[in-house]
Amino acid sequence: MKVKTLLFLIIFQTSYIMSSDNFGIAVHGGAGVMKNLSEEQKQKIENKISDTLIKAYTILEKGGSSIDAVEFAVAELEDSPLFNAGKGSVYNSNGVQEMDASIMSGKDRMAGAVASIQRIKNPIKLARKVAESTEHVMLVGEGAEIFAKNIGETIVDQDYFYSEKNLKRLKKAKAKKNAGIQSATQDKIGTVGAVALDINGNISAATSTGGMTNKMPGRVGDSPIIGSGTWAQNGVCGVSSTGHGEYFIKYQVAREVCARIEYLDKNISTSSKEILNELKNIDAEGGLIAIDSEANIAMPFNTDGMIRGSITSKSILNVAIY
Ligand code: GLY
C-alpha cells in the first residue's frame, strides 16, 4: 500500500472514530416563581429560547465546537431583557447590577469565570477570554473590567441595564426584607445557561447571571463557581445550574451530578433528579440542565417552573416553562 493511501486511511479512520452521531444542546433561562407570567410573556420567552436553540444547534450540526455553541447561546440570552443575565440583570441593594458568569470545556477542563462585573455587555464572552488569554480561572470586579478594556471586550454604560421592571422587583424585595419576610426564590426571572455535546464528543457548559435582587454589594453566587454553577467533563456530563446560589455552592451541585454518574454509575436523569430532591429537603430551590456523552438530556427543577429547552441529533426541539 502506498504511503499516501495509508496516511489517508489513518486520518479517515481517526476522524471517523472520533466523530459521533450524537450531539445536542440544552439551555435554561432560570428556575423560580413562574405562576404569574402572562401569555404574552410566556410566548416571548419561549420564542427566544427556541430561536437560540435552533441557532446554536446549527453551529453543532455544521461540526462546530460545543464551547462555541454554549458561548453563543448564553450571549444571545444575555442580550435579551427577558432573563436575569447581561441586559436583564437584576439590581443589588445599592441599585446597580453586578454580574457573574463562567464557562468550561470538558475536553481539557479549560475554565474561565468573572464575578461582580458592572459594565460588560456579555459576561460569558469575558469569562471565555479569561480562560483562553490569561493564566487564571477567575477575575472579579475592577480587575476584570480593566482586562476587558485591554482586550477590546464590549463595555457599556450602566444605562444599558436600566429596567423599570427590575427596579420594581428591588423595591418589592426591600419592602419584604424590611417586613422580615424571607424570600430566597427569584421572582419570575432567572439565571441563564447552556450545555452542549459536539460531534467530536466534547462537552461544554456555560452559565451567566445578575444574581439575586437586593443582594449585598460584592455577593457572588454559584454561577461563576466551577463545580457549582458550571461543570463540563468529557465522557461524563456537562451541567449548568440555576437557583439559590449559596446552596448550590455548598452542595457543589454541577460537579455532584457528574460525580454520581462517574463513581456510582447513575444515569444523568437519576443523578440530577436525586440532587434536586435532596436540595428541596433543605429548602434550597432551583434547577439544572445536564447533557451526557450520548446527548441524553436532563432538566429537573424543584420550583414551580424552569425556563428550559433542548434539541439533539436524536430528539426534536423541546421548550417548556412548567
Ligand atoms: N444562581 C444564581 C445566583 O444565586 O446568583
Side-chain angles (χ1 to χ4, degrees):
M1 198 183 293
K2 279 191 183 154
V3 177
K4 253 187 180 170
T5 318
L6 191 65
L7 213 60
F8 170 78
L9 278 177
I10 291 170
I11 291 168
F12 176 77
Q13 281 194 343
T14 311
S15 59
Y16 181 76
I17 290 164
M18 285 175 71
S19 332
S20 152
D21 288 341
N22 296 326
F23 58 94
I25 180 155
V27 302
H28 70 78
V33 182
M34 312 274 176
K35 275 186 223 141
N36 304 323
L37 282 177
S38 67
E39 273 312 310
E40 194 195 342
Q41 280 172 309
K42 269 189 249 170
Q43 204 56 60
K44 275 190 190 166
I45 289 169
E46 285 173 1
N47 288 348
K48 184 66 200 174
I49 295 288
S50 303
D51 185 56
T52 301
L53 279 168
I54 290 165
K55 287 180 181 156
Y57 185 74
T58 307
I59 296 176
L60 297 171
E61 213 172 21
K62 287 184 178 160
S65 68
S66 57
I67 193 94
D68 283 347
V70 296
E71 183 194 13
F72 169 83
V74 168
E76 280 285 297
L77 302 180
E78 284 177 340
D79 288 343
S80 164
L82 295 169
F83 310 99
N84 176 15
K87 181 157 181 60
S89 292
V90 297
Y91 290 92
N92 71 9
S93 63
N94 280 353
V96 295
Q97 286 79 8
E98 286 183 325
M99 298 166 285
D100 305 331
S102 65
I103 191 163
M104 184 173 189
S105 158
K107 183 179 163 187
D108 48 8
R109 298 217 181 183
M110 180 196 83
V114 290
S116 278
I117 52 172
Q118 296 187 2
R119 294 187 312 120
I120 308 302
K121 182 171 175 280
N122 289 110
I124 201 64
K125 292 187 182 174
L126 188 60
R128 182 165 175 185
K129 293 273 168 48
V130 172
E132 290 178 344
S133 311
T134 79
E135 56 197 38
H136 307 302
V137 170
M138 184 188 283
L139 291 180
V140 306
E142 201 190 340
E145 296 201 357
I146 291 169
F147 171 64
K149 202 171 163 201
N150 289 342
I151 59 165
E153 196 55 53
T154 309
I155 297 178
V156 288
D157 285 339
Q158 254 159 3
D159 290 356
Y160 172 77
F161 303 103
Y162 179 82
S163 158
E164 271 310 318
K165 267 191 186 165
N166 287 342
L167 277 175
K168 274 191 195 145
R169 287 191 172 101
L170 177 63
K171 220 170 143 188
K172 211 166 130 188
K174 280 186 186 285
K176 270 189 178 171
K177 198 168 183 185
N178 290 340
I181 303 167
Q182 287 230 329
S183 172
T185 310
Q186 296 280 306
D187 175 22
K188 293 182 222 160
I189 184 160
T191 298
V192 306
V195 293
L197 167 74
D198 64 32
I199 59 164
N200 294 312
N202 294 318
I203 295 176
S204 298
T207 313
S208 181
T209 191
M212 295 173 120
T213 298
N214 202 29
K215 66 185 178 182
M216 284 175 70
R219 178 264 186 189
V220 174
D222 60 314
S223 304
I225 309 292
I226 298 299
S228 302
T230 302
W231 183 257
Q233 188 177 353
N234 274 15
V236 185
C237 77
V239 177
S240 169
S241 311
T242 165
H244 193 162
E246 280 69 10
Y247 289 101
F248 280 70
I249 293 172
K250 287 188 265 192
Y251 288 83
Q252 282 286 289
V253 171
R255 166 71 183 133
E256 183 69 21
V257 172
C258 298
R260 290 183 192 191
I261 295 172
E262 189 178 10
Y263 301 126
L264 302 178
D265 213 19
K266 306 219 167 185
N267 66 37
I268 198 156
S269 165
T270 311
S271 175
S272 46
K273 256 191 231 154
E274 260 181 20
I275 294 163
L276 264 296
N277 287 340
E278 287 162 24
L279 289 171
K280 185 73 179 170
N281 289 339
I282 50 161
D283 283 336
E285 299 194 317
L288 61 87
I289 52 169
I291 193 165
D292 70 11
S293 53
E294 318 247 280
N296 296 310
I297 304 268
M299 301 191 282
F301 52 96
N302 64 25
T303 48
D304 63 45
M306 179 171 83
I307 297 162
R308 63 200 184 279
S310 66
I311 178 168
T312 75
S313 49
K314 54 187 187 181
S315 62
I316 57 166
L317 178 70
N318 154 39
V319 176
I321 299 180
Y322 304 104

